[in-house]
Amino acid sequence: MHEEERTPTVGSLPTPTSDESRVPGALTRLVWFLWVASVAVLALRLRSADPWTVGPLAVDGLTAVMWVTVTFLSGVVHSYSRRYMAGDHHVDRFFGRLFAFTLVATILVAADHVALFWAAWLAMGLLMADLIGHVEGWKQAKAAASLARRYFLASSALLAVGLVTLWWATGSTTVSGIASTVGTAPTAAVLVAAGALLLAAMVQSALLPFHTWLLSSMTAPTPASALMHAGFVNAGGILLVRFAPVVTVDPGTMLGITAVGAASALLGKLLKTVQTDVKGRLGCSTVGQMGFMIMQAGLGFFAAAITHLVLHGFYKAYQFLSSGGRVSHEHPSTGATGSTGPVGAAVILGTGLAGGVLFAALTGKGTALDSGLLLTLLVVLTVLQAARTVVTGTTVPTTIRYAAVPLVALPALAVYAVFYRVIEGLLSGLPAVGEPMALTPIHGLVAVAFVGAYLAVETGVYRHSERLYVALLNASRPASETLLTATEDYNEY
C-alpha cells in the first residue's frame, strides 16, 4: 500500500524541570567542547612534525585525526540521544557510559605506555557491552551483552599476550620504544606478538569468524549501535597502525593480514545480500567494510586504512541514526531497477576505469608493480558498483542518469583522494606506515576473488545456488539466545 500523505514533525528537545536530570545536556555540551579542542589540536599538528609527549600520552598525527573523528561522532550521537532516550528511566546511566566510552577512546588513540593502551582497550569493550545490554529486564539484551563481553575479554587477553611478548622481547614498556627496538628482537617472539595483535584486532573489528557478537548486538539502543559500528569496531585498525613496526617485520604476516581482511570483505558483502532487515544489512556491511580496512593495512597502506575507517564511520553513523526512515510502505513496483543496456554498460565501465586512473594520478598508488595495483583495483570495483546503482535506477530520466554518473562519481573520488593524501601526510611521522608490499601470487588470488565476487553479485549468479543461500543465512545468524521470537516481546521492547 502507498504511504499515507502527512507532514513529518519533530518535537523540540524536552526542557529539564526540577525533577529531571540535566546530565544529558551537560555531557552533550562537554563532548562538543572536546571536539572544538580536538580541531585546534589538529590545526597545530598540521604545522608540527614531532609528536608531543605528555606523560604516558603521545599526541601525533594519528592522535589528532582520531580525536577529531571520535569527538565529532560522539557529539552527534550524544545530541541524537537527548531526544531518542528522553523518558528512559536510566538515561543518566546511558549518557554516563556514552561519555565514558568517548573519553576512553580518546585515551586509547593517544596512549604510549602499553599498560595504559591495554587498560583503555579493555575499558572500551566493557563499556560497549554495557551499552548493548542497556535495557533492563530484557533477557535477549542481557544475553547479547554477555556474549559481546566474552568476545571483548578474549580480545583483551590476546592483546595482553602480544604486549607482554613485546615487552619481554624488547625490554620496552612504551609503544614508541617498541617501534624503535623491535628490529633487534628475536624473530619468533615478534611473530607471536604479531599474531596475537592480529587476532585481537579481528575480534574487536568483528571480522569473520568473530562477527557473531556484532550481528547479535542489535538489542543496543540505536545511538549505541551507531557509535559501535562507526567507532568501536575501528579499534582493530588503530591497533595495527600503532604497531605497524611489529606486523611489518615479516612479509608473511602482512600477507596473512591481507588474506583475513579480504575474506571478511568478500563474505561480508555476500552475507549482506541475504539479509531482510535494515539493521541486519548494516551489520553485515560493517563486517565487510572492516575487512576492507584490515586488508588495506595488510597491503602496507595504513593511511588508506585510517582514511577508510574515518569515512566509513561518518557514513555508518548516518545510516544507523536514520535507519528508522528506511522502513516504508509502498507499492511493490516502486523503486524497481532497470537493465543497463549497451550505453549504460559503457557509462559504468568508463566511469570505473576513469576513477581508477584519477585515483592513481592523485595518490601515486597503482603506478608501480606493487600492492598499490590491488588498492587501485578495489577503487575501480567500488566506483563500478556505485555507477551501476545510479544507472539502473528508474526514478530519474535516462539521459540525466547517464550524465550524472561521471559528473558525480569522479569529483567525489577526487575529494577522497585529496583526503587520503592529507591523512597520509599526518601519518608520515609514524614508523613503518608508508611502504607498499611487493606483489605475490596471494595478491593475484585476492584480485581474482574480488573480481569474481563482484561479477557474481552484480549479475545475480549467486542466487541460483540454494546451498550458498542457506550457508550465508546460517553464517549471518545471530546467537539464538539474543533473538526475539514472540510478537509480544517486540511490542514490549
Side-chain angles (χ1 to χ4, degrees):
M1 60 182 174
H2 294 283
E3 187 177 1
E4 297 179 4
E5 294 184 1
R6 61 182 184 275
T7 303
T9 58
V10 177
S12 60
L13 283 171
T15 301
T17 65
S18 58
D19 298 328
E20 295 177 329
S21 174
R22 297 181 181 272
V23 171
L27 292 182
T28 300
R29 287 188 289 272
L30 184 54
V31 169
W32 283 116
F33 171 78
L34 292 177
W35 175 73
V36 172
S38 298
V39 172
V41 171
L42 178 61
L44 292 174
R45 283 302 314 165
L46 290 172
R47 305 178 62 178
S48 175
D50 298 325
W52 312 326
T53 302
V54 184
L57 303 178
V59 182
D60 51 24
L62 176 62
T63 303
V65 169
M66 294 312 302
W67 274 0
V68 172
T69 303
V70 168
T71 53
F72 180 80
L73 290 174
S74 181
V76 171
V77 171
H78 273 74
S79 298
Y80 181 94
S81 300
R82 289 185 63 189
R83 180 176 288 108
Y84 185 92
M85 299 299 294
D88 189 285
H89 293 299
H90 304 289
V91 63
D92 286 357
R93 185 184 67 187
F94 177 83
F95 272 86
R97 287 171 175 167
L98 208 61
F99 184 76
F101 178 88
T102 304
L103 290 182
V104 170
T106 58
I107 292 173
L108 176 74
V109 298
D112 189 41
H113 197 285
V114 293
L116 181 61
F117 189 94
W118 182 84
W121 186 276
L122 173 65
M124 274 182 57
L126 295 179
L127 287 168
M128 183 51 66
D130 287 342
L131 287 170
I132 292 173
H134 172 74
V135 182
E136 289 190 351
W138 187 4
K139 65 179 182 179
Q140 286 85 359
K142 183 177 180 180
S146 178
L147 176 68
R149 191 175 294 110
R150 291 196 297 272
Y151 272 89
F152 301 154
L153 289 174
S155 175
S156 298
L158 289 165
L159 178 61
V161 170
L163 296 179
V164 169
T165 302
L166 289 172
W167 166 71
W168 173 82
T170 65
S172 178
T173 58
T174 62
V175 177
S176 57
I178 291 172
S180 61
T181 58
V182 70
T184 61
T187 302
V190 175
L191 291 178
V192 170
L197 295 177
L198 174 58
L199 287 172
M202 291 174 63
V203 174
Q204 209 85 342
S205 292
L207 267 62
L208 284 112
F210 308 113
H211 62 296
T212 304
W213 74 261
L214 185 70
L215 301 184
S216 303
S217 66
M218 300 307 171
T219 58
T222 294
S225 292
L227 195 61
M228 180 197 315
H229 288 257
F232 178 79
V233 293
N234 292 329
I238 300 299
L239 177 62
L240 293 182
V241 174
R242 277 294 179 216
F243 290 91
V246 177
V247 298
T248 56
V249 166
D250 179 59
T253 301
M254 294 295 281
L255 284 177
I257 295 174
T258 301
V260 298
S264 280
L266 291 170
L267 291 176
K269 182 176 179 62
L270 290 173
L271 293 177
K272 180 181 175 181
T273 62
V274 300
Q275 302 305 305
T276 56
D277 63 288
V278 174
K279 286 192 174 182
R281 290 176 63 85
L282 290 176
C284 291
S285 170
T286 296
V287 173
Q289 294 299 324
M290 289 302 99
F292 275 115
M293 176 188 69
I294 297 297
M295 178 184 169
Q296 288 169 335
L299 294 174
F301 299 110
F302 292 94
I306 296 300
T307 303
H308 186 92
L309 73 85
V310 171
L311 297 179
H312 171 261
F314 291 145
Y315 174 74
K316 195 52 65 74
Y318 167 77
Q319 288 288 306
F320 262 95
L321 296 181
S322 63
S323 59
R326 299 282 299 278
V327 180
S328 61
H329 300 282
E330 56 188 18
H331 192 275
S333 63
T334 303
T337 58
S339 59
T340 57
V343 178
V347 170
I348 294 171
L349 182 60
T351 302
L353 295 177
V357 172
L358 180 62
F359 177 78
L362 294 176
T363 64
K365 306 302 183 291
T367 58
L369 292 177
D370 55 30
S371 55
L373 288 173
L374 185 52
L375 180 64
T376 303
L377 173 64
L378 296 178
V379 171
V380 171
L381 293 178
T382 301
V383 175
L384 286 174
Q385 183 180 16
R388 184 179 184 276
T389 300
V390 176
V391 168
T392 55
T394 59
T395 58
V396 179
T398 303
T399 304
I400 297 178
R401 276 186 282 125
Y402 288 176
V405 169
L407 291 178
V408 173
L410 297 183
L413 187 59
V415 172
Y416 166 76
V418 171
F419 185 67
Y420 171 54
R421 291 302 298 269
V422 172
I423 298 294
E424 191 175 37
L426 287 168
L427 300 189
S428 60
L430 274 65
V433 298
E435 295 297 328
M437 302 302 296
L439 285 178
T440 68
I442 299 297
H443 294 115
L445 290 176
V446 170
V448 171
F450 269 94
V451 173
Y454 170 80
L455 294 175
V457 172
E458 295 301 318
T459 60
V461 172
Y462 73 99
R463 294 193 182 96
H464 299 302
S465 173
E466 294 182 0
R467 287 177 177 268
L468 178 60
Y469 175 83
V470 172
L472 293 174
L473 202 61
N474 289 336
S476 61
R477 180 178 174 83
S480 58
E481 64 271 18
T482 67
L483 292 174
L484 289 170
T485 56
T487 305
E488 290 77 11
D489 288 337
Y490 282 101
N491 292 337
E492 182 175 359
Y493 297 107

